[in-house]
């Protein structure tokens, strides 16, 4: 009788171990991330073309909370928006107000994304670009981050060649924590330069 009980206890323990392991594997593989983003341009009497593109890391799926996201290798560039703030036929400003581009990123595909915004102008008086007050608005989670490239100044004049480039990174902090319906916004204000 004792042998049967020990055999039954061993078989039950083994079944429980297999069940727990299967549940753990299922839980580890069912993590998903839902994040949507926008880039907002606030225009005021400027003649500019704004091009926005995204790129993603293809060689890793780890979080980068303690790493350096700027040193990763990015590929798969995708242009998500080109906006011209003037009528090309008359060169009269028509783009005053707020304009928006959807920054489509998928943290299920890649754990780090790069968003590059290029602002070009033909305005002879110069143009200023600054981050809006709502620069890295995040909602719904703290498991991802949006950071700007420290090499860039986000309160700047357009360069002599008529362009400026702004780089932002969106990355996953912890690959084991799901994200549900989170959002972010990068807001740029583009105005006439006051001399």
């Amino acid at each position: 009788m004792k042998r049967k009980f020990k055999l039954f206890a061993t078989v039950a323990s083994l079944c429980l171990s297999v069940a727990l392991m299967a549940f753990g594997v299922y839980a580890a593989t069912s993590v998903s991330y839902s994040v949507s983003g926008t880039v907002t341009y606030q225009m005021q009497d400027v003649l500019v073309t704004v091009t926005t593109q995204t790129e993603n890391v293809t060689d890793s799926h780890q979080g980068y909370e303690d790493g350096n996201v700027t040193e990763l290798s990015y590929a798969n560039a995708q242009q998500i928006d080109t906006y011209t703030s003037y009528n090309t036929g008359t060169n009269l400003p028509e783009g005053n107000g707020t304009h928006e581009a959807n920054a489509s990123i998928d943290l299920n595909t890649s754990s780090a994304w790069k968003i590059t915004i290029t602002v070009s102008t033909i305005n002879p008086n110069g143009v200023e670009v600054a981050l809006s007050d709502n620069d890295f608005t995040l909602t719904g989670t703290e498991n991802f981050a949006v950071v700007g490239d420290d090499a860039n100044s986000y309160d700047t004049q357009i360069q002599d060649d008529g362009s400026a480039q702004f780089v932002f990174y969106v990355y996953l902090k912890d690959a084991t924590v799901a994200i549900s319906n989170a959002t972010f916004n990068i807001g740029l204000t583009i105005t006439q330069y006051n001399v």
Side-chain angles (χ1 to χ4, degrees):
M1 186 72 175
K2 287 184 179 181
R3 284 185 175 175
K4 286 184 179 180
F5 178 75
K6 284 183 178 181
L7 179 62
F8 177 75
T10 302
V11 170
S13 176
L14 182 61
C15 289
L16 182 60
S17 297
V18 169
L20 288 174
M21 184 180 71
F23 179 75
V25 168
Y26 170 76
T29 59
S30 65
V31 176
S32 65
Y33 318 103
S34 173
V35 177
S36 60
T38 55
V39 179
T40 305
Y41 318 113
Q42 179 67 40
M43 307 285 191
Q44 187 60 46
D45 295 330
V46 291
L47 305 177
V48 295
T49 297
V50 183
T51 304
T52 307
Q53 74 174 22
T54 60
E55 298 173 87
N56 63 292
V57 171
T58 58
D59 57 354
S60 181
H61 291 278
Q62 300 177 4
Y64 291 94
E65 184 175 20
D66 299 319
N68 187 346
V69 72
T70 62
E71 292 180 357
L72 297 172
S73 173
Y74 291 88
N76 296 333
Q78 176 187 9
Q79 185 171 307
I80 60 172
D81 185 55
T82 295
Y83 179 77
T84 302
S85 70
Y86 55 89
N87 182 314
T88 55
T90 62
N91 283 344
L92 297 175
E94 64 175 19
N96 286 347
T98 301
H99 305 278
E100 190 174 278
N102 291 325
S104 299
I105 65 160
D106 184 359
L107 292 174
N108 296 291
T109 303
S110 177
S111 59
W113 290 75
K114 180 169 137 181
I115 300 172
T116 304
I117 304 168
T118 304
V119 182
S120 303
T121 185
I122 61 168
N123 193 322
N125 296 324
V127 168
E128 255 183 343
V129 182
L131 278 177
S132 301
D133 291 338
N134 61 344
D135 49 356
F136 305 126
T137 305
L138 308 179
T139 64
T141 186
E142 293 183 2
N143 191 32
F144 75 101
V146 180
V147 296
D149 185 348
D150 291 337
N152 290 310
S153 169
Y154 294 107
D155 188 0
T156 185
Q157 279 184 261
I158 300 295
Q159 302 301 309
D160 291 339
D161 67 355
S163 69
Q165 197 169 74
F166 305 92
V167 179
F168 302 90
Y169 301 96
V170 181
Y171 63 96
L172 185 63
K173 290 183 178 181
D174 184 349
T176 64
V177 177
I179 299 174
S180 177
N181 298 319
T183 63
F184 70 89
N185 179 67
I186 298 169
L188 293 178
T189 301
I190 306 171
T191 58
Q192 184 81 13
Y193 180 65
N194 295 320
V195 290

